[in-house]
Amino acid sequence: MRLVAGNWKMNGSPAAVTDLVAGLTQRLRAAEVGCTAAVCPPAHLLAAAVAAAGAGLAVGSQDCSDEAGPGAFTGEISAFMLAETGCRYAIVGHSERRQRHGESNTLVRAKASRALAAGLVPIVCVGETLKQREAGDAAAVVSEQVQESLPEGWSTDTLVIAYEPVWAIGTGLTATAADIAEMHSAIGAVMGSRRAAILYGGSVKPGNAAEILGTEGVNGALIGGASLKLDDFWGIVTAA
Ligand code: 13P
């Protein structure tokens, strides 16, 4: 399965849902594309996004609770609630949450497990920092993240991994095709005989999408900044 997912992060508004989600839906109706396209807006826009998205466009959340709930967990949204809202995917373990909120592999695995149990496909994010890459530890760090963050009981169709080098996120820097291929192969080796789709993320734009998406072992992309502009995101979806 090839997947191009847009992570809106803390961006967007009801007007953006109309522009982006309805616009994408319209384009997907008119064209055949070789991938699944998904948008992951902030939580308060999920229901509107689901309502605006046609059958060809999936919706995902940017996080979910590690608690099954329902219960006294202020500020949390359970995977079950997200599924009930119409989400198909849940991003978990994004580096911005690992770094800003101290999310550990153990917590990420718990969230991914809740997502899986609720019938969502978790998009588990992994990736090394620049310091770790410069120290030659990138493959070891990412392999450990994969080993410790993946939920029990996943299958090829119920899990997606996103390799996002932290230093490439929002910086305009991208890993080289050779580095991406090497890391995706290392991630594949950790998974063993089962294979989940592995996305690349980090400064993917229409101009570099074809090369990145054509790299060995790359099954799609997780897009930040470029997912906020209809033409840019569409350019990446069609490159896939
Ligand atoms: P950018 O595409 O803005 O670099 O963000 C990537 C990302 O973090 C997607 O989750």
Side-chain angles (χ1 to χ4, degrees):
M1 177 190 64
R2 283 173 87 70
L3 171 67
V4 173
N7 174 9
W8 291 14
K9 308 191 180 184
M10 201 170 75
N11 295 289
S13 61
V17 171
T18 307
D19 289 352
L20 283 166
V21 179
L24 279 170
T25 295
Q26 217 167 30
R27 292 185 188 199
L28 284 163
R29 277 205 188 107
E32 287 255 324
V33 295
C35 68
T36 300
V39 291
C40 304
H44 72 300
L45 297 175
L46 286 171
V50 169
L57 183 66
V59 176
S61 67
Q62 297 175 16
D63 190 24
C64 72
S65 179
D66 62 312
E67 293 286 349
F73 304 106
T74 302
E76 299 274 288
I77 304 177
S78 74
F80 177 77
M81 290 167 173
L82 294 166
E84 208 174 40
T85 305
C87 288
R88 197 191 311 171
Y89 297 96
I91 297 171
V92 293
H94 191 280
S95 62
E96 285 150 17
R97 295 207 61 85
R98 288 180 185 264
Q99 292 194 322
R100 291 182 55 89
H101 302 275
E103 293 196 2
S104 63
N105 291 336
T106 307
L107 182 66
V108 174
R109 169 177 274 169
K111 290 181 173 196
S113 301
R114 295 299 184 198
L116 205 56
L120 300 172
V121 174
I123 301 175
V124 179
C125 300
V126 295
E128 82 285 359
T129 63
L130 187 58
K131 207 167 147 201
Q132 289 164 334
R133 174 158 285 268
E134 284 174 348
D137 295 337
V141 166
V142 169
S143 297
E144 185 177 284
Q145 286 176 333
V146 172
Q147 233 148 21
E148 296 182 0
S149 303
L150 295 195
E152 297 284 326
W154 64 270
S155 66
T156 302
D157 297 331
T158 61
L159 174 76
V160 173
I161 296 177
Y163 167 56
E164 300 200 303
V166 176
W167 49 271
I169 294 175
T171 58
L173 302 170
T174 50
T176 63
D179 285 342
I180 295 172
E182 193 182 329
M183 196 60 87
H184 281 225
S185 154
I187 293 169
V190 177
M191 288 192 283
S193 56
R194 288 182 294 177
R195 282 294 154 103
I198 309 174
L199 315 183
Y200 172 80
S203 298
V204 180
K205 310 284 177 206
N208 59 19
E211 189 195 355
I212 290 171
L213 288 158
T215 300
E216 167 118 28
V218 174
N219 308 118
L222 186 56
I223 318 295
S227 72
L228 299 170
K229 294 186 195 125
L230 179 58
D231 286 341
D232 285 2
F233 191 61
W234 183 246
I236 299 167
V237 168
T238 50

